[in-house]
Amino acid sequence: MLLNISNIKNVKNATLEFDGITVIVGENGTGKSTISKSLFSIFASLYTLNQDRRYLLKNEFTKVLKKINFDYARYKDQENFLNNLVDYRDKTKEGFISDEEIYQSIAERLKSYIENIKYNNEYFNDTVKSIVDLIKKDNNIFNEQCVREYLISEFSDKIYNVKNNDYESKISIGFHYNGNGNKNDINSYKAKNIIKVSGDNYRNCFVNENENEFEPITNKIFYYDGLNVDFNLEVHNYTSNLDFYNYEFNLDLLRHNKDKGSGHKILFDREIIFDSLHDENMIEAELNDLFSDFGDAGEVFYNFEEHKLLYKNNEFKSTISPNQLSQGLKGILVIRQLILKKHIVKEDLLILDEPEINLHPKWQIVYAELIVKLQKKYDLTILLCSHSPFFIKAIKTFSVKYDIKNKTKFYLSSNNTDGYSEINDVTQNIDLVFKNLA
C-alpha cells in the first residue's frame, strides 16, 4: 500500500510505503503527525462511510419532518421509520424508479406513520417533496460531508499547506501495485482512494472522482497516542451481561469523537460476540505467550456488581482502577485488550505515536519485540512515530530476527530551507536516523 499526501500542513509532498511496519523519525514539527492524521483520516472515514452516510441521512430526514411539527409522541416507531426511508432510498439507487413512483411511495409511508394529518395538507406535501429531494440527491454529496467531518476533527479549521493556501490538498492511498513503472508512484497502483480538498473551511471536498478506481476499505484503523491513555467506560443499553462484557472497552485514547455522528463509530458501534468462550480462551493463550516478556501484565475487566472497570494481576491482593497504573503499562494493556476483544483482527491498521515514551529503555526493547511479533502473527499494518534510538534499533533488530525485514521501512522527516517538511526513505541508510537522534 502506498500513501501520498500533498500540500497538507507543512508537508508539500510525501510518499510512504506500508507493507508491515513503517517507522517515521524526526524532530518535532517536521510532519510526522501530519502523516499519521492523513492515514487515519482516509481509512477511518472510508471504513465507516456507508454507516456514516446512513446516520447523516436519518438526521436530514428528521429535520425535514419538523416542518410539519412532527410530534414524536405520535410516532409509531421513529427509528424503524427512519431506517425504512434510508432503505427505500438505497433501493431507488439500484434501479430506475420514476419521480412519481417515489413521491407516491413516500406519501403513503409517511401517511401511515402520522395520525391526524390530511393528505392534502400543504405542509404534508412540502414534507414529502423534501424527503423525495433527499432520496434523489447523489450519494457523493453525503459522502463528502461525512469525510469532511473527519478532516475537520483531525486537522481543525485548516488542512491546506500553511506556506501557500492556494494549493489543492490531497490524500491518496494506492492498492495493488501493477508491477510496472515506479513503485513509489501512486499512478502505478491499480486502485486508488483519493480525498481532495480546496477552499477555506474545507469548502470543496471531493472523494474519488473516478469511481472505477475505488477500493472499498474493509480494514479498521486504530490511533494510539502514548501520551494520553485513559480507560473510560461508555454506558450502553444491552440485553445481557454477555453483550456488555464483549463490548466493555471504550478507550478515549483511540481518537473517536463522541459528539459527532461520524468518527465515534470507528471502534465500538459493532458488537463483538465471540463464537464461543473457547474462542476467547484460545486468543488469550496466544496473547499470554506474546506478552510473556512483560511478566504478569495483568488484565482489565468489567465488574458488574460495582459497575466499573478494574485491573488485577497475580501480585496484587485486591483490584484497582486501571487509571492508577503507569502510562507505560496502560499502553501495553490497551494493545492486549484490543486484540483479545477482537477489535484488532488480521490485516487491520495500527498507528502508534511514541508508544515507548513512558517506558524504561529495557521495556522499550521488549515492547519493540512485541510489536514485531504482533505484525508477523496478525499481518498488521503498523505506523510508528518515535524519538527513541533504543526503540528504533530494537525494531530494526527484531524485524531481522522474525524475518520481516523486507516488510519494515524507515523514514526520516526534516524541514528544508524553505520550511517545508521532507520525508525521505532511509531504510537502506538507517544510520541517518541515529545521527538525527544523537
Side-chain angles (χ1 to χ4, degrees):
M1 180 181 76
L2 203 69
L3 170 71
N4 175 264
I5 71 170
S6 57
N7 301 313
I8 296 181
K9 296 298 184 180
N10 65 328
V11 178
K12 193 170 186 178
N13 189 66
T15 300
L16 293 87
E17 183 181 351
F18 294 84
D19 186 32
I21 297 176
T22 298
V23 183
I24 307 179
V25 183
E27 295 181 13
N28 294 329
T30 56
K32 299 188 302 298
S33 294
T34 299
I35 296 296
S36 298
K37 290 179 178 181
S38 298
L39 180 65
F40 178 81
S41 295
I42 193 166
F43 264 87
S45 60
L46 297 182
Y47 176 75
T48 59
L49 189 58
N50 289 336
Q51 66 191 66
D52 286 346
R53 184 176 65 246
R54 188 178 187 91
Y55 181 94
L56 181 60
L57 276 164
K58 286 162 68 173
N59 279 348
E60 293 299 315
F61 284 135
T62 300
K63 292 176 186 176
V64 167
L65 291 170
K66 290 180 180 179
K67 293 181 180 180
I68 52 174
N69 297 319
F70 201 70
D71 182 359
Y72 289 104
R74 295 188 319 217
Y75 212 83
K76 291 183 179 179
D77 190 338
Q78 175 189 349
E79 188 66 18
N80 281 348
F81 181 59
L82 292 173
N83 284 327
N84 184 279
L85 286 179
V86 177
D87 291 341
Y88 179 72
R89 182 183 180 277
D90 291 342
K91 183 179 179 181
T92 66
K93 299 299 180 184
E94 295 174 359
F96 178 76
I97 301 178
S98 69
D99 292 353
E100 183 178 353
E101 287 179 290
I102 295 174
Y103 187 94
Q104 291 298 327
S105 177
I106 294 303
E108 291 172 5
R109 292 166 192 266
L110 186 57
K111 188 176 181 181
S112 68
Y113 278 98
I114 299 176
E115 301 173 1
N116 304 321
I117 294 182
K118 296 180 180 179
Y119 180 78
N120 62 356
N121 183 291
E122 60 175 322
Y123 296 107
F124 179 84
N125 292 336
D126 287 344
T127 300
V128 173
K129 184 178 182 303
S130 296
I131 292 175
V132 171
D133 288 343
L134 284 172
I135 286 175
K136 292 171 60 180
K137 191 174 288 189
D138 192 281
N139 271 343
N140 284 335
I141 295 174
F142 297 106
N143 291 346
E144 289 157 10
Q145 187 172 341
C146 293
V147 171
R148 187 180 294 113
E149 289 295 317
Y150 273 96
L151 296 178
I152 292 173
S153 175
E154 287 303 304
F155 295 99
S156 300
D157 59 332
K158 289 181 176 62
I159 188 174
Y160 51 70
N161 194 295
V162 295
K163 300 292 181 181
N164 188 336
N165 59 21
D166 293 333
Y167 285 122
E168 178 183 73
S169 300
K170 185 162 67 173
I171 306 172
S172 306
I173 288 283
F175 301 91
H176 316 306
Y177 176 56
N178 61 21
N180 300 315
N182 185 353
K183 192 174 183 180
N184 288 318
D185 181 1
I186 198 76
N187 295 314
S188 298
Y189 284 71
K190 295 179 182 178
K192 296 188 289 290
N193 291 344
I194 301 171
I195 294 175
K196 293 199 296 186
V197 181
S198 62
D200 292 338
N201 299 318
Y202 306 85
R203 184 171 63 252
N204 301 311
C205 180
F206 304 97
V207 182
N208 272 78
E209 293 179 313
N210 184 350
E211 293 185 2
N212 293 327
E213 295 179 334
F214 187 77
E215 176 80 358
I217 297 293
T218 58
N219 307 105
K220 299 184 300 302
I221 188 166
F222 301 82
Y223 196 125
Y224 164 46
D225 181 351
L227 286 171
N228 301 299
V229 184
D230 185 27
F231 289 80
N232 177 52
L233 179 67
E234 188 175 74
V235 177
H236 295 273
N237 293 320
Y238 290 103
T239 56
S240 72
N241 286 353
L242 178 63
D243 289 345
F244 198 99
Y245 177 73
N246 287 325
Y247 207 71
E248 68 185 28
F249 245 76
N250 186 6
L251 306 172
D252 276 344
L253 62 95
L254 290 168
R255 281 186 188 258
H256 59 294
N257 190 330
K258 300 175 187 175
D259 299 324
K260 295 184 178 179
S262 60
H264 77 283
K265 293 182 286 189
I266 296 167
L267 299 181
F268 302 108
D269 268 13
R270 272 192 325 157
E271 288 188 21
I272 309 297
I273 304 298
F274 294 109
D275 295 333
S276 66
L277 187 60
H278 172 72
D279 187 19
E280 182 179 352
N281 290 339
M282 182 177 65
I283 296 174
E284 186 165 15
E286 293 176 352
L287 290 177
N288 286 339
D289 180 57
L290 288 170
F291 285 76
S292 60
D293 289 336
F294 289 103
D296 182 17
E299 65 172 314
V300 176
F301 67 99
Y302 182 74
N303 185 300
F304 290 100
E305 293 180 357
E306 299 182 34
H307 302 290
K308 60 184 179 182
L309 290 174
L310 295 172
Y311 168 82
K312 67 178 180 180
N313 72 7
N314 293 329
E315 296 178 4
F316 290 8
K317 293 183 179 180
S318 60
T319 57
I320 63 172
S321 166
N323 285 321
Q324 295 181 36
L325 301 173
S326 68
Q327 293 293 89
L329 182 54
K330 285 180 187 176
I332 293 165
L333 286 170
V334 163
I335 303 300
R336 185 183 188 280
Q337 198 73 13
L338 287 174
I339 295 174
L340 177 63
K341 296 303 178 186
K342 286 189 173 180
H343 292 309
I344 293 180
V345 296
K346 188 175 182 181
E347 298 182 354
D348 278 346
L349 289 85
L350 183 60
I351 299 174
L352 301 174
D353 193 350
E354 300 183 41
E356 81 293 343
I357 195 167
N358 295 298
L359 295 175
H360 184 277
K362 179 181 177 181
W363 267 36
Q364 288 185 29
I365 295 170
V366 175
Y367 198 10
E369 182 175 16
L370 171 66
I371 289 171
V372 171
K373 288 161 71 176
L374 288 174
Q375 192 291 318
K376 185 176 180 68
K377 183 169 186 61
Y378 297 103
D379 195 19
L380 301 176
T381 296
I382 301 174
L383 170 60
L384 296 171
C385 297
S386 175
H387 294 288
S388 168
F390 302 103
F391 186 70
I392 294 164
K393 186 173 182 179
I395 291 289
K396 181 179 184 297
T397 300
F398 290 122
S399 69
V400 174
K401 177 179 177 179
Y402 292 100
D403 197 27
I404 63 164
K405 178 183 177 181
N406 294 334
K407 302 184 73 174
T408 306
K409 303 284 287 186
F410 294 88
Y411 291 86
L412 181 62
S413 64
S414 59
N415 289 332
N416 60 24
T417 55
D418 295 327
Y420 288 108
S421 172
E422 291 185 351
I423 299 176
N424 296 304
D425 185 348
V426 293
T427 305
Q428 302 305 319
N429 191 9
I430 197 172
D431 287 343
L432 291 173
V433 167
F434 300 112
K435 183 177 179 180
N436 176 270
L437 295 172

